[in-house]
């Protein structure tokens, strides 16, 4: 009953012009999917923050797993990633989901790239995201990053948009615009932050991700790549 009520509320909040429900990104963990209402909403903004700077690689992996699951064209089965996200088409995907979406846009501040490095190809592949599907954009200022995310969401070829930020608060108006853009496009937007934020947000969900021991985990290269 609670899940049904959540779905009805999401339908009522959907902006005019959005007719088809793009579905959810299920974790395939019953306890989590039940709380989220069958999974993470595709047409929404989500914030993922590292527990601290040392946990940024774990938060990045979490975002990559979600992004690679955002479109059937991007799904690639992998047993080495340790991801709990099911790759490819799920029964909860709606028939109206646009399968033409085939690219993930990763927009990062110059400082973020200087401190953390660029995405590492084999690491992307391990999370089920083919490197050729990723388009990276570097910007000098935060306002440019938020604007670029909003514009990327307007493209029908984009399956997901990632914006990597460092620290400090984000303008609430810009966050609200991102939430509306994601709702209108049907594609998810992810704000990847290097530390837990203290500012208010209109994001559908906010996550704090930290590293944990694992039998196998993807490796990120040192130096200028991760």
């Amino acid at each position: 009953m609670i899940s049904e009520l959540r779905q009805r509320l999401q339908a009522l909040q959907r902006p005019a012009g959005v007719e088809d429900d793009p579905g959810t990104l299920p974790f395939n963990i019953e306890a989590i999917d039940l709380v989220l209402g069958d999974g993470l909403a595709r047409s929404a903004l989500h914030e993922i923050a590292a527990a601290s700077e040392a946990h940024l690689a774990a938060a990045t992996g979490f975002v990559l797993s979600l992004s690679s699951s955002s479109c059937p064209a991007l799904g690639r089965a992998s047993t080495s990633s340790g991801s709990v996200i099911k790759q490819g088409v799920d029964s909860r995907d709606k028939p109206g989901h646009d399968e033409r979406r085939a690219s993930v846009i990763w927009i990062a501040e110059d400082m973020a790239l200087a401190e953390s490095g660029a995405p590492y190809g084999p690491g992307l592949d391990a999370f089920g995201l083919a490197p050729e599907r990723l388009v990276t954009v570097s910007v000098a200022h935060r306002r440019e990053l938020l604007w670029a995310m909003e514009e990327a969401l307007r493209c029908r070829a984009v399956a997901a948009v990632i914006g990597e930020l460092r620290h400090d608060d984000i303008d609430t108006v810009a966050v609200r615009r991102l939430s509306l853009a994601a709702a209108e496009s049907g594609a998810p937007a992810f704000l990847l932050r290097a530390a837990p934020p203290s500012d208010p947000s209109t994001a559908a969900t906010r996550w704090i991700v930290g590293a944990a021991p694992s039998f196998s985990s993807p490796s990120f290269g040192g130096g200028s790549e991760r």
Side-chain angles (χ1 to χ4, degrees):
M1 179 180 293
I2 294 177
S3 175
E4 183 179 350
L5 287 173
R6 285 198 181 96
Q7 291 174 357
R8 290 184 179 181
L9 286 173
Q10 289 176 356
L12 290 173
Q13 294 172 348
R14 194 175 306 132
V18 180
E19 299 179 357
D20 295 321
D21 182 357
T24 59
L25 300 173
F27 285 80
N28 298 306
I29 299 177
E30 184 176 357
I32 297 179
D33 287 338
L34 181 62
V35 171
L36 294 174
D38 288 338
L40 207 66
R42 289 180 185 270
S43 55
L45 171 67
H46 304 279
E47 289 191 28
I48 293 89
S52 68
E53 192 83 26
H55 296 271
L56 185 56
T60 301
F62 184 68
V63 171
L64 287 173
S65 291
L66 293 172
S67 299
S68 66
S69 300
S70 62
C71 178
L74 296 176
R76 179 178 292 186
S78 175
T79 57
S80 61
S81 67
S83 169
V84 298
I85 308 297
K86 180 179 179 182
Q87 306 295 328
V89 181
D90 186 271
S91 60
R92 279 160 282 190
D93 290 330
K94 304 299 181 181
H97 181 57
D98 191 348
E99 295 187 5
R100 293 173 298 175
R101 297 184 182 276
S103 299
V104 172
I105 310 297
W106 186 320
I107 307 165
E109 294 176 310
D110 289 339
M111 183 60 68
L113 292 175
E115 294 187 359
S116 302
Y120 183 51
L124 295 173
D125 215 15
F127 281 101
L129 177 58
E132 63 269 20
R133 298 293 191 181
L134 182 70
V135 178
T136 57
V137 180
S138 175
V139 297
H141 303 288
R142 180 158 306 180
R143 63 179 180 273
E144 296 171 348
L145 183 146
L146 298 172
W147 174 84
M149 288 183 68
E150 187 178 340
E151 290 299 306
L153 286 167
R154 302 182 191 281
C155 177
R156 297 297 297 175
V158 173
V161 176
I162 302 169
E164 184 179 358
L165 305 169
R166 299 307 295 166
H167 303 287
D168 299 328
D169 295 343
I170 307 175
D171 179 66
T172 55
V173 174
V175 176
R176 178 60 178 166
R177 288 177 62 91
L178 273 181
S179 295
L180 292 174
E184 292 172 356
S185 72
F190 302 105
L191 279 174
L192 175 60
R193 308 181 75 160
S198 58
D199 52 322
S201 176
T202 58
T205 63
R206 303 184 91 172
W207 302 75
I208 298 178
V209 180
S214 175
F215 290 109
S216 63
S217 58
S219 60
F220 288 83
S224 62
E225 294 186 319
R226 57 179 160 176

